[in-house]
Amino acid sequence: MSQSAKAKGKLSSFFDILVQSLKGHEVDLTSISIKRAIILLAIPMMLEMAMESVFALVDLYFVGHLENSSHAIQTVGLTESVLTIIYSLAIGLSMAATAVVARRIGEKNPEAASKAGMQTIVIAVAVNILISIAGLIYARDILLLMGASTETADHGTTFVRIMMGGSIIIVLLFLINGIFRGAGNAAIAMRSLWIANIANIILCPIFINGFGPVPAFGLTGAAIATTIGRGLGVSYQVYNLFSGKNALKIRISHFIPDFMQIKAIVKIAAPAIFQFVIASCSWVFLAELVATTGGDAGSAGYQTALRLMMFFMLPAWGLSNAAATLVGQNLGAGHVDRAEKSVFQTLKYILIFMAVVSVLFLTCGHLFAAFFTSDEKVITIASKALKILSIGFVIYGAAMVFSSAFNGAGDTWTPTKINVFAFWLFQIPLAYFLAKYLEMGPTGVFIAIPTAEAGIAIAAFILFKKGKWKKIKV
């Protein structure tokens, strides 16, 4: 066979897998080739996570062109920093759901997988009611606590109330997608985010700038549009849960609290939630440190850089999630060696992806930042942040894959312990020392981030090779 024919054959094969991944056909991921399994999962997962990052970018773009844009940008960024704590709850629960559902699917027990997924929803709703109430009451105090000026807090209080009040929608969007990912149907998770984002993109200019009978809500309009968009995404998820057209067959009885199973899920979810709360609180501290040392322009520049960084980091996280699903399902099927091979194959793909992203930010960071604001001070700080942060992107990718592998196996304590040391005992003290004592300001914070991530990647690799995760019972 000629080289040309082989190339055409490979291209045709990849196109077939691409179409299959987007359509969401269910296959036995424990029996097909590892490369094929990763691609089937990774493509919709990467698109899903890219869409999750688009929420903040769309909000940032439209509010960045309002009057007093620095206040609006700062409000969106600081609110997102606080919401990362809620994301931590959602991600922790979704990881527990992915681990348990994937293990049951690997064991060829879809009934148990369906029940486990619904029990995580029961937990999420119960916990999030309290968070929503606190957000509604203390919205202004939250912004002030984050280092916002009084004027910025006055501008952004209603925005925070809507976003925090609707946080149950955020949690359900993450959690139900985690259930679908565990079942191996990442395409439904992807489509729910597409629906949510398309709605947000359409509604943002309408509610922010006004259109026809809809008045111009300004910054508040961004929160209204985002909450409605996410709500539509959740509605699509719920429809698919109860449609009976996938491996999960949901019944109303699955929502009756089963305290033994809830205890087992919480045992996995609690360290996973703590794992991301640790990281989120670190980001919150860093955001406050930048705001106090760099002022409104420094904070807006950092938040712009962070949103741009997350636009590319979340797809990488989606790719790493393929490792979580494959580890869970293969352990359930008793294929331990295949689980490990899946992780290292995923690692190869993510290192290539993150290397490309690094080059983009090193060469085009200023252009990316200029797209979201015309404030030169903000653009300069954002561009500098992107250049420093991008140096560690390949390292971030490696850390994500190994952490996802631990979580997919149900070993949520290992990455949690790593995060405690790397973020609280190293990154925060280093950032404070550089920013305050060496008077480097925001630049010191930027330097501390990739430095800490390097430590996470090294520690995660060493512990992964030790193999404790292979013996975890879920």
Side-chain angles (χ1 to χ4, degrees):
M1 185 182 291
S2 68
Q3 291 297 321
S4 177
K6 286 182 180 179
K8 287 181 180 179
K10 288 182 179 180
L11 184 62
S12 176
S13 177
F14 176 77
F15 183 74
D16 290 341
I17 298 173
L18 175 62
V19 171
Q20 187 179 0
S21 71
L22 296 177
K23 285 185 176 180
H25 294 310
E26 292 182 352
V27 297
D28 185 353
L29 297 172
T30 63
S31 61
I32 62 175
S33 76
I34 292 175
K35 289 183 179 180
R36 185 181 183 89
I38 292 172
I39 294 172
L40 285 174
L41 289 170
I43 291 174
M45 285 180 178
M46 291 179 75
L47 292 173
E48 173 201 348
M49 287 301 175
M51 288 299 97
E52 180 58 44
S53 66
V54 168
F55 282 116
L57 287 180
V58 169
D59 291 350
L60 196 63
Y61 173 78
F62 285 109
V63 304
H65 292 81
L66 292 171
E67 290 185 26
N68 299 315
S69 64
S70 65
H71 295 300
I73 291 173
Q74 189 179 7
T75 297
V76 172
L78 292 177
T79 303
E80 280 292 312
S81 294
V82 174
L83 285 176
T84 52
I85 298 174
I86 293 172
Y87 295 153
S88 299
L89 170 66
I91 293 166
L93 285 169
S94 72
M95 282 184 171
T98 297
V100 178
V101 170
R103 191 71 69 96
R104 299 292 88 84
I105 291 293
E107 294 169 351
K108 307 300 185 286
N109 189 350
E111 168 67 19
S114 301
K115 182 180 178 182
M118 297 313 99
Q119 292 297 300
T120 58
I121 292 178
V122 171
I123 298 168
V125 172
V127 172
N128 206 260
I129 290 172
L130 298 175
I131 295 175
S132 295
I133 293 172
L136 289 169
I137 296 173
Y138 299 108
R140 189 172 188 277
D141 296 319
I142 288 170
L143 282 174
L144 291 173
L145 185 64
M146 287 294 296
S149 63
T150 302
E151 189 176 359
T152 296
D154 292 338
H155 273 85
T157 297
T158 306
F159 178 89
V160 177
R161 280 182 177 149
I162 295 172
M163 295 297 285
M164 295 287 286
S167 59
I168 184 60
I169 297 173
I170 297 173
V171 173
L172 288 176
L173 195 61
F174 272 96
L175 175 55
I176 298 175
N177 277 352
I179 293 170
F180 281 123
R181 285 195 297 270
N185 198 332
I188 292 176
M190 173 195 67
R191 288 195 289 267
S192 68
L193 265 296
W194 278 94
I195 290 170
N197 271 285
I198 290 170
N200 186 45
I201 290 168
I202 294 170
L203 294 175
C204 254
I206 293 174
F207 282 101
I208 292 173
N209 301 316
F211 183 79
V214 180
F217 288 97
L219 175 60
T220 300
I224 297 171
T226 300
T227 302
I228 292 174
R230 282 180 168 141
L232 291 173
V234 171
S235 298
Y236 176 77
Q237 292 174 326
V238 171
Y239 165 76
N240 279 281
L241 276 178
F242 287 93
S243 68
K245 296 178 181 179
N246 52 74
L248 300 174
K249 310 298 180 186
I250 308 303
R251 298 198 301 269
I252 297 299
S253 61
H254 290 158
F255 291 92
I256 299 173
D258 180 337
F259 293 104
M260 287 295 292
Q261 185 155 52
I262 287 174
K263 182 180 178 181
I265 292 170
V266 169
K267 187 177 179 181
I268 300 171
I273 292 169
F274 187 43
Q275 175 187 145
F276 282 87
V277 166
I278 291 165
S280 299
C281 287
S282 175
W283 287 108
V284 169
F285 177 85
L286 296 182
E288 189 274 340
L289 189 57
V290 170
T292 54
T293 60
D296 285 347
S299 181
Y302 172 64
Q303 296 301 338
T304 300
L306 213 55
R307 299 288 78 76
L308 283 164
M309 185 182 89
M310 293 310 295
F311 178 74
F312 291 97
M313 291 289 283
L314 284 172
W317 190 18
L319 175 53
S320 74
N321 279 337
T325 298
L326 290 174
V327 166
Q329 291 201 11
N330 280 297
L331 288 179
H335 304 324
V336 178
D337 290 343
R338 181 181 167 89
E340 186 169 2
K341 288 177 182 177
S342 298
V343 175
F344 284 105
Q345 188 64 47
T346 306
L347 179 63
K348 290 179 183 178
Y349 294 148
I350 205 168
L351 293 181
I352 294 170
F353 176 80
M354 295 306 282
V356 173
V357 175
S358 294
V359 173
L360 282 175
F361 276 179
L362 286 170
T363 57
C364 306
H366 188 275
L367 295 176
F368 289 146
F371 182 74
F372 292 98
T373 179
S374 57
D375 190 318
E376 281 301 324
K377 287 185 179 179
V378 174
I379 292 171
T380 300
I381 295 171
S383 177
K384 184 175 185 180
L386 288 173
K387 287 180 179 178
I388 295 173
L389 295 174
S390 65
I391 294 171
F393 274 11
V394 171
I395 297 170
Y396 303 160
M400 281 189 285
V401 170
F402 290 120
S403 294
S404 292
F406 287 127
N407 290 321
D411 181 13
T412 48
W413 271 117
T414 294
T416 300
K417 292 172 183 177
I418 293 173
N419 281 4
V420 168
F421 179 82
F423 288 121
W424 287 1
L425 301 182
F426 182 71
Q427 185 186 69
I428 290 176
L430 177 62
Y432 192 87
F433 175 75
L434 295 176
K436 294 275 192 178
Y437 284 93
L438 296 187
E439 298 183 350
M440 296 176 69
T443 301
V445 176
F446 305 154
I447 293 171
I449 294 171
T451 306
E453 290 290 342
I456 292 175
I458 294 169
F461 172 75
I462 293 171
L463 293 172
F464 181 81
K465 291 299 292 181
K466 285 189 174 182
K468 176 187 172 185
W469 57 275
K470 300 175 183 179
K471 302 174 184 177
I472 298 295
K473 302 295 182 183
V474 173

